[in-house]
Amino acid sequence: MSPMFVPGPMDVDPEVMDAQTIPMLPHRSKEFETIFHRAEGKARPLFGTQNRVFISASSGTGLQEAAVRNFAQSSVLACVNGAFSERWLEVAKSNGKSIDTVEAEWGQPIRPEDVAAALRQKPYEVLTIVHNETSTGLQNPVDAIAAAARGVSPDTLICVDAVSSLGGAPIEMDAWGLDFVLTSSQKALALPPGLALGATSDRALERAASVENRGWYFDLVRLEKHRLKNSTPATPATSLINALDLQLDRILAEGLENRFARYQSMATRVHEWALSHGFGLFAAEGYRSRTVSTVENLPDIDVAALNAFLLERGMRIANGYGTLKNKTFRIAHMGELTLADVNTLLAAIEEFMGK
Ligand code: PLP
């Protein structure tokens, strides 16, 4: 198997892949409802919540849409400092919401005081923030931002995209006062793409009940009614949920603290290596991601040629995202990857550079 150092989809453990091939069960059967219930319960500790976790047959972007449709009749304050927070802004706009932004330069964190200042001007219904910007390799200080937001505007619902961090970095939804936290299956959870998980607070669900035009597929009020019966309104992705059920066992057996430490050791190794080999790191110091590093290509190596070289050795990294293409490249260190895998990759990059 060739280890993928691209930030999703990550490699999937063979046993977890196999879990998708067990025979189909009707989704409205006791047997499947038991699996659904079990998986939902096991997902909660990853979010740091006692609340419900919706399991959606969609990718994470579907739940970005769910957040703005369910929680805001009109006003959204979007924190924007990378490609995926820009996407969430576009999702909100395309759903007809009225939006203002708190921005930071790409590679710089959103500042809690800027969020507080914007909320002092207007008590927006929803605040959107991306925890881990996969484009820039930056982790926003969501706990401090949430505290600042709650201090100024306690009724604003705080919605967090943790697509590339959940299961890879600590997230304490209940302790930090978050209302909605969404993730995708194909990143730190190391599952195939196709599932999104969204943990939701009680007060967010209460708010949703009063918002008009929530749509149908991502209507969280409807999803909750079914979740209480361990089910979904439409057909769930049953094979992926079988894989999720097993993968959550594996993640909890590793232990979340051990998993976070494994990711941190890989992140630290990549950061130190980059800085000692003439590269830079795109994200500001103190805010660098545990799950993906965006390396500044200061020596101007040919990223496509590097990837071709790596592919011959059964590995693959990601070029920079959008306008950062070739100016940066990205090395993911999440999922099933280990420090030994990272060392093999870095040795191969050095070999390429020495050629
Ligand atoms: N948010 C972040 C931070 C991401 O990294 C991605 C995908 O890479 C998305 C949202 C979109 O997720 P999906 O492709 O699962 O819809």
Side-chain angles (χ1 to χ4, degrees):
M1 195 165 72
S2 49
M4 301 246 281
F5 296 88
V6 297
M10 302 304 299
D11 286 317
V12 177
D13 180 86
E15 211 192 334
V16 175
M17 283 293 260
D18 285 352
Q20 295 178 95
T21 65
I22 63 179
M24 293 295 138
L25 285 168
H27 57 289
R28 309 220 187 277
S29 63
K30 272 279 154 281
E31 297 99 307
F32 182 74
E33 285 164 9
T34 303
I35 297 169
F36 188 88
H37 178 70
R38 194 165 66 205
E40 197 239 315
K42 286 186 293 198
R44 293 182 193 185
L46 278 64
F47 290 87
T49 190
Q50 305 281 340
N51 285 318
R52 64 198 63 67
V53 177
F54 292 115
I55 303 175
S56 167
S58 70
S59 77
T61 308
L63 291 187
Q64 283 190 337
E65 186 146 274
V68 295
R69 289 195 76 122
N70 279 268
F71 305 140
Q73 192 62 60
S74 162
S75 64
V76 174
L77 180 63
C79 298
V80 178
N81 63 337
F84 293 101
S85 42
E86 266 180 6
R87 178 183 297 181
W88 210 350
L89 167 71
E90 282 165 25
V91 167
K93 268 191 195 156
S94 66
N95 278 284
K97 307 302 171 189
S98 153
I99 303 139
D100 290 309
T101 57
V102 172
E103 299 187 24
E105 256 178 63
W106 284 33
Q108 296 297 321
I110 297 292
R111 293 170 2 138
E113 55 271 35
D114 292 347
V115 173
L119 288 170
R120 238 176 250 120
Q121 298 295 315
K122 182 170 157 185
Y124 295 85
E125 294 166 271
V126 162
L127 174 73
T128 63
I129 174 135
V130 170
H131 184 220
N132 193 76
E133 256 300 349
T134 321
S135 55
T136 58
L138 177 135
Q139 188 177 299
N140 277 309
V142 162
D143 47 348
I145 292 166
R150 285 227 167 204
V152 174
S153 179
D155 292 338
T156 300
L157 296 177
I158 301 171
C159 298
V160 176
D161 170 324
V163 165
S164 58
S165 53
L166 193 110
I171 295 180
E172 293 296 339
M173 176 171 182
D174 295 352
W176 298 352
L178 312 179
D179 291 291
F180 187 64
V181 180
L182 69 101
T183 198
S184 305
S185 51
Q186 74 275 17
K187 309 270 188 193
L189 297 179
L191 285 162
L195 278 186
L197 307 185
T200 311
S201 72
D202 289 338
R203 70 175 198 150
L205 257 194
E206 282 160 24
R207 174 80 60 82
S210 69
V211 171
E212 289 165 8
N213 298 324
R214 298 188 298 274
W216 200 97
Y217 193 70
F218 292 117
D219 176 1
L220 298 181
V221 177
R222 185 187 306 275
L223 277 159
E224 174 68 354
K225 220 182 281 168
H226 286 261
R227 189 197 63 83
L228 292 170
K229 296 181 282 181
N230 301 314
S231 185
T232 48
T235 314
T238 52
S239 302
L240 281 169
I241 291 172
N242 289 334
L244 172 70
D245 184 40
L246 175 62
Q247 180 64 340
L248 287 170
D249 285 337
R250 295 179 73 253
I251 290 174
L252 295 173
E254 178 179 12
L256 289 176
E257 288 306 323
N258 293 335
R259 194 171 179 87
F260 301 155
R262 173 162 62 85
Y263 288 14
Q264 189 59 60
S265 70
M266 293 189 283
T268 302
R269 171 79 176 103
V270 171
H271 296 166
E272 288 174 358
W273 174 87
L275 296 176
S276 62
H277 285 77
F279 296 99
L281 291 164
F282 192 81
E285 196 176 355
Y287 299 95
R288 291 178 184 146
S289 163
R290 244 182 235 249
T291 55
V292 57
S293 294
T294 298
V295 177
E296 278 179 314
N297 186 12
L298 301 178
D300 200 23
I301 59 171
D302 181 338
V303 178
L306 167 61
N307 233 347
F309 180 86
L310 291 173
L311 263 179
E312 282 166 14
R313 286 149 185 81
M315 292 175 277
R316 174 196 300 260
I317 60 166
N319 206 326
Y321 194 94
T323 53
L324 294 178
K325 190 170 177 184
N326 297 325
K327 291 183 200 140
T328 65
F329 56 86
R330 293 172 299 155
I331 299 175
H333 25 78
M334 56 177 149
E336 308 294 345
L337 291 170
T338 64
L339 190 55
D341 295 324
V342 168
N343 284 332
T344 305
L345 173 77
L346 298 179
I349 300 179
E350 283 175 30
E351 193 188 333
F352 172 81
M353 290 171 72
K355 267 167 47 110

